[in-house]
């Protein structure tokens, strides 16, 4: 898959560590910054990343800030993006099975590297179940006036 990855300074270190891990799974990874640990505003990375996923330029996105909260709020403002903030492996698997999430948000100051790898592995290898879950996703789009 084509995976776009981005972070603010709070997620920079984890982003750098996850890029080779995701590449090692055979995915093409596109890093949209930030490119140092200098302070930036997370909306400046999160909104362009989410819009690129919504346009279909990438199959999935991974976005990281200090807590993962700010970036997940931004991403979920973009129509067609279903961003899941995950701090555990079970949630990562279930959000793929039930929500067909297309952006994963992580907290770089919250999850350690090994847990983050487990979350990313589950999120990238679990398929959407469809069925009743598709109906619920359709309702999200209907309420958000994007379908
Ligand atoms: C930056 O200090 C921090 O606020 C940001 O990374 C994120 O945690 C916001 O939700």
């Amino acid at each position: 898959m084509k995976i776009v990855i981005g972070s603010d300074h709070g997620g920079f270190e984890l982003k750098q560590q996850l890029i080779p891990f995701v590449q090692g799974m055979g995915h093409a990874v596109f890093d949209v910054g930030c490119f140092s640990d200098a302070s930036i505003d997370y909306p400046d990375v999160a909104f362009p990343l989410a819009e690129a996923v919504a346009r279909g330029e990438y199959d999935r996105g991974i976005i990281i800030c200090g807590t993962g909260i700010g970036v997940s709020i931004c991403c979920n403002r973009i129509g067609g993006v279903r961003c899941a903030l995950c701090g555990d492996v079970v949630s990562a698997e279930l959000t793929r099975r039930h929500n067909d999430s297309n952006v994963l948000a992580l907290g770089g100051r919250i999850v350690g590297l090994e847990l983050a790898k487990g979350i990313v592995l589950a999120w990238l290898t679990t398929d959407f179940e469809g069925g009743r879950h598709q109906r619920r996703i359709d309702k999200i789009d209907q309420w958000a006036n994007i379908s």
Side-chain angles (χ1 to χ4, degrees):
M1 287 192 286
K2 285 179 71 176
I3 309 291
V4 59
I5 190 166
S7 76
D8 74 353
H9 54 288
F12 174 70
E13 184 179 354
L14 183 58
K15 173 171 71 68
Q16 298 308 111
Q17 294 168 321
L18 285 177
I19 288 170
F21 177 71
V22 177
Q23 288 171 329
M25 294 177 67
H27 301 291
V29 179
F30 299 83
D31 183 2
V32 294
C34 59
F35 298 107
S36 80
D37 61 4
S39 180
I40 65 159
D41 297 335
Y42 58 82
D44 294 342
V45 174
F47 279 116
L49 181 148
E51 287 190 333
V53 172
R55 285 194 300 266
E57 293 173 21
Y58 304 98
D59 299 302
R60 304 269 191 89
I62 298 173
I63 186 78
I64 312 169
C65 66
T67 59
I69 296 171
V71 290
S72 65
I73 291 171
C74 295
C75 290
N76 279 316
R77 295 281 183 100
I78 302 301
V81 169
R82 293 173 299 281
C83 176
L85 170 57
C86 294
D88 65 90
V89 173
V90 174
S91 294
E93 182 183 331
L94 287 175
T95 188
R96 284 292 311 135
R97 286 168 51 183
H98 293 184
N99 313 123
D100 197 18
S101 52
N102 49 12
V103 176
L104 172 67
L106 295 168
R109 296 172 178 155
I110 305 297
V111 295
L113 178 58
E114 292 310 311
L115 175 55
K117 285 179 177 176
I119 291 168
V120 168
L121 178 66
W123 191 73
L124 288 175
T125 57
T126 303
D127 291 330
F128 179 49
E129 285 181 4
R132 67 187 186 282
H133 301 296
Q134 183 62 58
R135 182 181 71 240
R136 293 160 185 170
I137 286 174
D138 291 343
K139 289 188 176 184
I140 294 173
D141 291 343
Q142 286 161 10
W143 277 83
N145 284 323
I146 58 171
S147 67

